[in-house]
Amino acid sequence: RCLCGLASDALPSLGISVKKSGRTTGLTHSTISYVGVNVTVRYDGGRAYFTDQFFVSGGDFIAGGDSGSLIVTDDAAANPVGLLFAGSSSDTIANPIHSVLTQLGSELNATLSFGTSNDAGTFELAPPTDGGGGGGNDKPKGNGKGGGKPKTSIQQTGIAQAMAVRDRNEARLHGYDGILGSGIGIGPDSTANITVFVNKANAGAKRHLPKKLEGIRVEVRMTDEFYAY
């Protein structure tokens, strides 16, 4: 079984440019800022813990009602990268599309993938027909060629190493009130680091965090709580 009309799915990678078209904000553009994110998300009925998610930076990338929007690479190919489902005033949380298709395929006992069909035209993202939303971010970036390529070159071995260190020390990093989660980001020296997300309402939690773990820099990102959209 095939979800037809779209290009093949892509793995979320640090620094790549992405876009999405949502019900509320229309067409918006940004970049993937964190991968391998393990994070707590608040719902009306409580909280849920998610692993191996990715973040898109920029508070104007989404708003309430955009949940379920498909995030794709910001280039002519528009390769699917993930499904938007939660966020804060500064970050968007998305499920990697490969994980979505794998889980859904398991439930349906079918193999699901993105592909093309003879009657499918090109895939275009467009703002809502009523002209709403956009967040001042609805102008395409670049020339539409290669926009999905990483802006910063980071060795995959460095990302894997940082993720392995985070996983070994997750209990230590997440063991305090006010710690919302952690992920792998880009450091000022263009190397992978461990970023810990700390609730602004409990900023004192950051004092428990080390500066480094097993040689990997630990950064702190102050944020609002993450809510499902």
Side-chain angles (χ1 to χ4, degrees), residues 43-104:
Y43 289 79
D44 289 340
R47 291 175 174 83
Y49 188 68
F50 293 84
T51 61
D52 198 26
Q53 307 298 292
F54 70 90
F55 276 21
V56 176
S57 60
D60 57 356
F61 189 68
I62 59 167
D66 284 335
S67 183
S69 299
L70 181 65
I71 297 173
V72 301
T73 55
D74 197 357
D75 55 17
N79 292 313
V81 182
L83 284 185
L84 181 165
F85 77 99
S88 68
S89 60
S90 57
D91 297 288
T92 296
I93 307 177
N95 304 124
I97 197 64
H98 178 73
S99 298
V100 173
L101 295 179
T102 299
Q103 183 64 35
L104 184 57

Side-chain angles (χ1 to χ4, degrees), residues 37 41 49 81 102 139 145 149 158 171 184 189 193 205-206 213-214 218:
V37 176
V41 175
Y49 188 68
V81 182
T102 299
K139 293 183 180 180
K145 297 180 181 179
K149 295 180 180 179
I184 308 306
D189 54 354
N193 65 34
K206 66 182 181 181
L213 276 174
E214 300 179 34
V218 176

Side-chain angles (χ1 to χ4, degrees), residues 33-181:
S33 48
Y34 303 99
V35 296
V37 176
N38 297 344
V39 64
T40 298
V41 175
R42 185 167 185 171
Y43 289 79
D44 289 340
R47 291 175 174 83
Y49 188 68
F50 293 84
T51 61
D52 198 26
Q53 307 298 292
F54 70 90
F55 276 21
V56 176
S57 60
D60 57 356
F61 189 68
I62 59 167
D66 284 335
S67 183
S69 299
L70 181 65
I71 297 173
V72 301
T73 55
D74 197 357
D75 55 17
N79 292 313
V81 182
L83 284 185
L84 181 165
F85 77 99
S88 68
S89 60
S90 57
D91 297 288
T92 296
I93 307 177
N95 304 124
I97 197 64
H98 178 73
S99 298
V100 173
L101 295 179
T102 299
Q103 183 64 35
L104 184 57
S106 176
E107 294 292 331
L108 298 176
N109 193 28
T111 300
L112 302 178
S113 64
F114 288 96
T116 58
S117 64
N118 292 332
D119 59 353
T122 57
F123 178 62
E124 293 281 343
L125 286 174
T129 54
D130 61 6
N137 218 6
D138 56 354
K139 293 183 180 180
K141 296 180 179 180
N143 59 9
K145 297 180 181 179
K149 295 180 180 179
K151 292 183 176 180
T152 305
S153 177
I154 299 179
Q155 294 294 327
Q156 290 301 313
T157 52
I159 296 173
Q161 180 185 6
M163 199 172 300
V165 171
R166 188 280 309 274
D167 290 347
R168 284 195 293 270
N169 294 275
E170 185 171 3
R172 175 184 176 186
L173 292 173
H174 294 191
Y176 305 97
D177 290 340
I179 304 297
L180 301 174

